[in-house]
Amino acid sequence: MNAKRFFTLIGIAALAFMPMALAQEAAHDHEGHDHSGHAHADPVKPIKWDKETLEKFSTLPIQDGGRVKPLSTYAGFKLLKLNGRRECRNLEGEKLTPMAWFLDTLLYPETANQYKVFLVQSSEVLEAIGVSHEGKKKRDRYSYEELLPGRAKLFELAQSYSGIDAKDRTGIQTQIVNLASNIFEYESVSHYADFARHELSISEGSPLRAVLPEPTFSAVLEKATTLRVLAMAMDRGMDSVLSGMTPEKAAEMKALFPGVDSIDEATRKKNLDELQAMLNQLDAMARNASELALFPPAKDAEDQTHWYAAGEVAEVVFGGDGTHGVEELKLVSSFEQLVRDRAEPEKLKAQLASFHDAVTAIATTRGEYAKIPIEVTFYRADFFYNSLILFIIAFAIIAVTWLVPYNRLMSKLYPLVLFPPTALLITGIVFRCIIRGRPPVSTLYETILFITAVAVVVTIFIEYINRQKIALSVGAILGMIGMFLAFRYEAKEGVDTMPSLVAVLDTNFWLATHVTTVTMGYSAGLLAAAIAHIYIIGRFFGIKKENKDFYKGVTRMVYGVLCFGLIFATIGTVLGGIWANESWGRFWGWDPKENGALLIVLCQLAILHARMGGYIRDLGINISAVFGAIVVGFSWWGVNLLGVGLHSYGFTSGILQALTAFYAVECLVILLGFGIWLREQWAPKAASPDATTQLSRGKKQKKTLPAKASK
């Protein structure tokens, strides 16, 4: 049996027992064992993370989701997915940042397992998996240890529900699948460093002791070639192994394994069994260490685009000829030492500095590190959250100016209130463009930010022209809604909002032209509808009913924004067809997304032509603009729910309810508009004072006209 076949069989055996291992894992953990069956060392108490250490870890690069990002970004989205927010508390009740939580989970899982980081949306989920929720709220947070008794049942149910289409699952079934996914992802982090925390088991007097005085993970990998020779020597005899070696190498092997040929059959079998058992332990450690791709590839790596997790380094080392994975193994060994020093803060900091310098040096050489500090700064500055707070403050100030219109301070302050939140929003968008090297509309999440920014900027421009405070009020409201939706989307998805793009989107030119312009058309359609809400709601409830100029001004704004939107929607749709012809070989294919873009153009054209033809007037324009928002909502989000067509890469789950609620609100506003129309139709025909005055003036003019004509 050759060495490659030997190690392949070991790997197959390990995979064969994987389902059994997963089924028993909860019991193993509860008894204080790792995945390899070894007892844990005494739990190490987490250290208090200082600013310098957190900064070093935060700026470590990691490859995740197809791109290299800071470890702090990975930690932030991981905690957000599990917890629904980017913070949690330790056992002392102190708030932990995502980075601090992540390090506790990675290095001190015995303690982190007690942190309440798993958000369970309904207690019915816990009842289904047999976990007690006594004394808890219906929607509450639980620790890993609290959920552990129901782990086996949870995974059993999740496996059965995962075969059901996501659209057909009940709410509880979806929550069970999501919780199982969260538990699995948490375990992928908490068990990642098991290979560094535990040594492999080798009995005293074993031939393996001569090769591995300290049987650590990295030591086994460093001796992979030697272990391969030992396996073949015990299987086929030392002479057959040494026949192809140089005299010097053969002498070295004989010195390492004296008397291998003279051992009896029983001892030989025992040694082979022990070697296989040790390699099974190594395989279990490697499988656990598959989540964090912290190790960049060396120059001689076959795949230069792929970073390695520790388990993948083991696969490269054992699967190669001894020349591959050497540089990556040095990094694994450095990380392993870092984990072993976790109980001593000063040693840990020194080892972290060494590991950080080694990884960043390679990443810098590869051109993958320059944007890491920028991304850390971006998330630390929290531009979008601060923008939301300032939009709320701006709305409050504008509301006060409506209540006290003649206050000098407020009159001077209100025109400026949208500048700070808008500046923060635009700054955040620019940061994302720099980090990604892309235009600001490459994902659905980014379109929320961009549409919000465009809408608010347009309202500032409108306010500069008419000075009625209407546009600024709408801008503040749209700013709040847009930023809130962005936060809700990010929290619901719980994944990095700067992912690698699908192949069809991997072109900056078309993202900057087609997607940007068509998204500006979306923004204009929604802004026109938002302003139209003021007209319809105001007239329905009789607000400023004596001020005809107020409503005329609102209608002019709606009309102008619709014209603006039509220009960009039309250009964007045409550019999209040109892009489709380049990418798919046809200009138009009646794809749902294409149809949605065309619907926006046709809707806005119909409104403007109906106005020019006299078929609709002020009320009709505003009602039509609100209907246009429904069309925009369908084109922007609704077509993604279909999950079909060449544009289905934008699909997101859980949006149906929100979109249905949006449609319902807009339909209600449209009904209010028709209510105004019916009220005017059924109202008494007696002329109002203004109308009587105008009528009498008209009669006087008619009487004097003939006299003037005769002159």
Side-chain angles (χ1 to χ4, degrees):
M1 181 176 68
N2 59 37
K4 186 173 182 180
R5 175 177 169 79
F6 178 76
F7 287 105
T8 301
L9 289 175
I10 290 175
I12 292 172
L15 290 173
F17 285 102
M18 191 184 299
M20 185 184 301
L22 288 175
Q24 296 174 347
E25 186 176 319
H28 287 169
D29 286 343
H30 187 66
E31 294 167 4
H33 289 73
D34 67 10
H35 294 181
S36 304
H38 294 291
H40 286 306
D42 293 334
V44 179
K45 185 178 179 181
I47 65 173
K48 297 294 183 182
W49 300 108
D50 58 59
K51 186 177 180 180
E52 181 185 352
T53 304
L54 288 175
E55 181 69 16
K56 282 286 186 184
F57 274 114
S58 296
T59 54
L60 267 176
I62 179 175
Q63 189 179 66
D64 177 62
R67 77 179 184 95
V68 177
K69 65 184 73 169
L71 188 59
S72 58
T73 298
Y74 175 90
F77 279 103
K78 189 66 68 177
L79 182 58
L80 181 65
K81 188 174 189 297
L82 305 184
N83 196 36
R85 57 192 183 195
R86 280 189 170 90
E87 64 177 34
C88 69
R89 295 186 181 273
N90 61 15
L91 299 181
E92 287 74 37
E94 300 169 336
K95 282 187 179 180
L96 296 179
T97 64
M99 197 69 250
W101 163 79
F102 178 82
L103 293 177
D104 282 358
T105 304
L106 180 68
L107 302 179
Y108 314 99
E110 300 89 350
T111 302
N113 287 346
Q114 302 173 59
Y115 298 169
K116 299 183 187 300
V117 297
F118 291 94
L119 177 61
V120 178
Q121 299 287 351
S122 174
S123 56
E124 294 178 47
V125 173
L126 301 175
E127 292 169 3
I129 64 175
V131 172
S132 172
H133 56 88
E134 190 174 344
K136 295 272 195 176
K137 293 180 287 187
K138 183 178 178 65
R139 179 181 183 272
D140 215 332
R141 288 176 171 82
Y142 294 79
S143 69
Y144 178 77
E145 282 194 355
E146 289 175 312
L147 297 174
L148 193 57
R151 182 187 183 280
K153 183 65 174 178
L154 174 67
F155 276 81
E156 178 186 334
L157 291 175
Q159 185 176 7
S160 63
Y161 297 153
S162 62
I164 304 173
D165 192 276
K167 294 181 289 186
D168 299 327
R169 293 179 198 147
T170 66
I172 299 301
Q173 289 174 340
T174 298
Q175 291 177 38
I176 287 174
V177 171
N178 291 341
L179 181 59
S181 173
N182 289 347
I183 291 286
F184 178 79
E185 290 189 27
Y186 175 83
E187 291 175 343
S188 297
V189 175
S190 64
H191 288 297
Y192 181 86
D194 283 355
F195 76 89
R197 282 191 290 266
H198 311 296
E199 292 187 350
L200 288 89
S201 176
I202 301 176
S203 63
E204 294 297 331
S206 168
L208 293 174
R209 282 289 177 183
V211 183
L212 300 167
E214 294 184 6
T216 63
F217 183 83
S218 58
V220 173
L221 297 185
E222 289 170 1
K223 299 294 184 180
T225 303
T226 304
L227 291 173
R228 188 180 293 114
V229 170
L230 176 60
M232 291 189 294
M234 288 191 292
D235 182 49
R236 300 182 314 190
M238 181 61 79
D239 290 338
S240 63
V241 175
L242 301 181
S243 59
M245 295 184 179
T246 63
E248 295 79 9
K249 190 66 176 177
E252 181 186 343
M253 291 296 108
K254 281 187 176 182
L256 275 175
F257 311 120
V260 169
D261 288 334
S262 61
I263 59 176
D264 56 64
E265 181 63 22
T267 305
R268 186 185 67 81
K269 186 177 184 304
K270 177 184 175 183
N271 290 339
L272 272 174
D273 289 344
E274 185 168 30
L275 176 59
Q276 180 171 338
M278 186 198 72
L279 293 174
N280 282 338
Q281 295 172 39
L282 182 79
D283 181 73
M285 288 180 173
R287 283 188 284 110
N288 285 340
S290 61
E291 172 67 15
L292 307 178
L294 290 166
F295 312 106
K299 292 180 180 179
D300 63 344
E302 293 182 6
D303 187 354
Q304 284 294 310
T305 64
H306 179 72
W307 285 41
Y308 294 99
E312 292 175 310
V313 173
E315 183 180 344
V316 170
V317 170
F318 267 107
D321 57 4
T323 61
H324 295 288
V326 176
E327 296 301 318
E328 294 89 341
L329 180 54
K330 291 178 181 177
L331 296 177
V332 172
S333 180
S334 179
F335 179 82
E336 183 181 78
Q337 187 58 49
L338 184 154
V339 176
R340 292 181 180 278
D341 290 337
R342 68 194 188 281
E344 302 179 62
E346 293 307 315
K347 284 187 176 181
L348 184 144
K349 289 175 69 171
Q351 186 60 33
L352 170 61
S354 175
F355 178 71
H356 183 279
D357 291 346
V359 173
T360 55
I362 299 173
T364 301
T365 302
R366 291 169 53 83
E368 295 175 316
Y369 190 75
K371 294 178 181 178
I372 296 295
I374 299 175
E375 187 168 341
V376 172
T377 301
F378 167 74
Y379 281 108
R380 191 169 291 159
D382 216 349
F383 293 107
F384 301 138
Y385 176 76
N386 292 323
S387 176
L388 172 61
I389 298 301
L390 290 180
F391 273 123
I392 294 172
I393 295 173
F395 176 76
I397 292 173
I398 294 171
V400 171
T401 63
W402 283 102
L403 297 174
V404 286
Y406 302 110
N407 184 284
R408 289 185 179 181
L409 176 62
M410 290 300 174
S411 297
K412 292 180 180 180
L413 189 60
Y414 93 87
L416 307 174
V417 293
L418 285 189
F419 283 95
T422 307
L424 281 179
L425 173 55
I426 293 174
T427 302
I429 292 173
V430 170
F431 260 85
R432 290 178 65 91
C433 292
I434 293 171
I435 293 166
R436 304 201 73 195
R438 304 284 184 188
V441 285
S442 57
T443 66
L444 283 171
Y445 171 79
E446 288 181 340
T447 62
I448 300 174
L449 301 174
F450 186 73
I451 284 174
T452 303
V454 170
V456 175
V457 169
V458 172
T459 61
I460 293 173
F461 177 75
I462 293 173
E463 184 64 29
Y464 175 77
I465 294 174
N466 65 19
R467 306 297 178 96
Q468 287 184 286
K469 292 190 285 190
I470 300 169
L472 279 189
S473 302
V474 173
I477 293 170
L478 290 180
M480 289 191 299
I481 294 174
M483 299 314 299
F484 175 76
L485 287 176
F487 277 106
R488 289 296 301 161
Y489 178 92
E490 187 180 58
K492 180 167 183 58
E493 295 299 304
V495 296
D496 187 3
T497 57
M498 291 190 272
S500 295
L501 298 182
V502 294
V504 70
L505 292 177
D506 196 11
T507 163
N508 282 359
F509 175 77
W510 291 112
L511 283 175
T513 53
H514 159 62
V515 183
T516 301
T517 51
V518 83
T519 304
M520 291 176 75
Y522 292 167
S523 181
L526 294 174
L527 175 57
I531 299 173
H533 281 60
I534 293 177
Y535 182 98
I536 294 172
I537 294 172
R539 284 198 58 187
F540 185 84
F541 291 103
I543 302 170
K544 288 183 175 288
K545 60 183 178 180
E546 303 299 331
N547 190 346
K548 306 300 181 183
D549 290 338
F550 174 83
Y551 289 103
K552 286 288 183 185
V554 172
T555 303
R556 281 195 297 270
M557 285 186 247
V558 173
Y559 185 82
V561 174
L562 284 173
C563 293
F564 169 82
L566 177 62
I567 293 171
F568 283 96
T570 304
I571 294 173
T573 303
V574 173
L575 289 173
I578 298 172
W579 186 8
N581 189 55
E582 258 192 30
S583 298
W584 300 320
R586 90 288 189 281
F587 181 84
W588 195 265
W590 300 106
D591 186 88
K593 197 73 171 179
E594 295 168 349
N595 295 340
L598 180 61
L599 281 175
I600 294 175
V601 175
L602 294 177
C603 178
Q604 293 177 347
L605 273 174
I607 296 170
L608 297 179
H609 277 76
R611 174 66 181 87
M612 291 178 64
Y615 296 103
I616 59 174
R617 296 191 183 277
D618 292 7
L619 179 60
I621 289 176
N622 287 280
I623 292 175
S624 301
V626 175
F627 177 76
I630 295 177
V631 176
V632 172
F634 173 77
S635 179
W636 185 16
W637 290 94
V639 295
N640 299 106
L641 296 173
L642 302 176
V644 297
L646 295 172
H647 294 82
S648 60
Y649 47 75
F651 176 77
T652 182
S653 60
I655 197 64
L656 178 60
Q657 291 180 342
L659 198 59
T660 302
F662 171 73
Y663 290 158
V665 170
E666 298 307 281
C667 287
L668 177 60
V669 175
I670 290 173
L671 288 176
L672 293 180
F674 280 109
I676 297 169
W677 181 79
L678 290 174
R679 186 171 63 191
E680 291 180 347
Q681 295 299 310
W682 294 344
K685 297 299 182 182
S688 64
D690 291 340
T692 304
T693 302
Q694 293 174 1
L695 184 61
S696 62
R697 287 176 180 173
K699 289 178 178 178
K700 289 179 182 179
Q701 290 174 355
K702 287 180 180 179
K703 288 179 181 179
T704 58
L705 279 174
K708 289 181 179 180
S710 62
K711 289 181 181 179

